[in-house]
Amino acid sequence: MKRNLPIGVLVSGSGSNLQSIIDNIESGNLEAEIRIVISNNPVAYALKRARQHKIKTAIIKHNDFETRESFDREIVGILKSCGVELVVMAGFMRVISSVLIKAYPNKIVNIHPALLPSFPGMHAQRQALEYGVKFSGCTVHFVDENVDSGPIIIQAIVPVYEEDTEETLSARILKEEHRIYPQAIQFLAKNKIRIENRKVIISEGKCDKLISIHNPCLSGF
Ligand code: GRF
């Protein structure tokens, strides 16, 4: 019998990644079911998106808690009571503690708008532009005890152009985020992923035709 993976999505902002997960579930591409959307920001647009699709929501304000751990404990309680098996961080602007990580070992994923391990932390797109890289992109990874450092599941590369601004580069990256995040969750839903040391082995989608890409393009070399 077909079984959809029960997921919980943690958000803080606009929720465009949440939207892409919802859309892929609704179109039948992604075999998951969103049990709860939790926001630490009461006015996050992501909450509106969830409600529009009749998805259960909860607002947990971090300021109401004295420690990171007690905030996380509250979140774990809600996730568990909803039967969540995979926690999906989608623009969730809080560093999580070992309380959440221990409750969901290797069952928390995040998306980051850079090619990790380059440019972790805030303003990744700005960091990439300021550094002058010719390519950037996005990364879906497991969440561990450090920031943006867990095993990498899938990455997408986009070119960086001379005329790019933080906005144009972010938009180019975001389009790819909306593709790779549902794909990563689908790999997990179908049990296609295992972790060996810190390497993520995926039994599908091998990309062995791709040799290299260049920016700028080579002229006869
Ligand atoms: C995305 O760029 C994501 O990579 C980062 O936060 C942003 C969230 O965007 N972690 P949205 O809320 O999904 O639109």
Side-chain angles (χ1 to χ4, degrees):
M1 208 187 83
K2 204 173 139 188
R3 181 185 176 270
N4 292 327
L5 178 68
I7 67 174
V9 186
L10 307 185
V11 298
S12 300
S14 123
S16 68
N17 278 289
L18 168 68
Q19 188 68 57
S20 125
I21 293 166
I22 294 172
D23 294 345
N24 278 285
I25 290 174
E26 289 185 352
S27 71
N29 259 347
L30 173 53
E31 292 160 80
E33 171 193 338
I34 304 178
R35 292 282 176 90
I36 183 87
V37 169
I38 303 178
S39 176
N40 64 324
N41 169 11
V43 296
Y45 188 67
L47 289 167
K48 268 202 185 131
R49 296 185 193 262
R51 289 180 195 129
Q52 267 163 11
H53 292 264
K54 311 249 182 311
I55 297 168
K56 195 171 160 188
T57 59
I59 298 166
I60 315 290
K61 293 190 264 175
H62 54 273
N63 288 337
D64 291 346
F65 296 83
E66 285 202 348
T67 61
R68 227 174 253 292
E69 286 73 18
S70 54
F71 171 69
D72 282 4
R73 221 164 277 129
E74 179 74 18
I75 290 183
V76 168
I78 296 173
L79 292 169
K80 294 279 178 189
S81 73
C82 294
V84 166
E85 291 176 21
L86 177 76
V87 182
V88 175
M89 294 171 60
F92 185 59
M93 301 303 283
R94 296 294 299 167
V95 173
I96 62 171
S97 73
S98 60
V99 168
L100 189 42
I101 292 167
K102 287 199 177 110
Y104 282 95
N106 288 333
K107 296 284 180 208
I108 309 175
V109 289
N110 182 41
I111 188 152
H112 182 73
L115 292 174
L116 291 172
S118 294
F119 315 124
M122 298 287 286
H123 308 299
Q125 302 93 330
R126 191 188 305 166
Q127 292 184 54
L129 276 179
E130 284 172 359
Y131 194 93
V133 289
K134 299 294 187 195
F135 290 102
S136 190
C138 44
T139 305
V140 180
H141 62 93
F142 287 106
V143 175
D144 66 9
E145 309 268 341
N146 299 308
V147 175
D148 299 328
S149 73
I152 291 173
I153 302 171
I154 179 168
Q155 293 186 304
I157 298 176
V158 305
V160 180
Y161 297 125
E162 284 160 12
E163 60 278 16
D164 266 331
T165 61
E166 202 176 332
E167 288 67 39
T168 58
L169 178 59
S170 300
R172 193 174 307 123
I173 292 173
L174 198 58
K175 264 194 181 169
E176 292 303 316
E177 294 186 32
H178 297 162
R179 302 174 69 195
I180 67 172
Y181 216 0
Q183 172 68 83
I185 299 166
Q186 176 68 0
F187 284 145
L188 287 158
K190 300 307 284 175
N191 271 320
K192 303 270 181 201
I193 289 188
R194 65 175 205 280
I195 307 176
E196 273 177 21
N197 301 317
R198 64 159 288 130
K199 281 196 193 148
V200 174
I201 316 287
I202 306 177
S203 60
E204 199 182 284
K206 202 163 176 200
C207 178
D208 51 4
K209 297 271 181 301
L210 197 63
I211 298 169
S212 58
I213 48 173
H214 312 91
N215 178 31
C217 290
L218 306 189
S219 53
F221 293 93

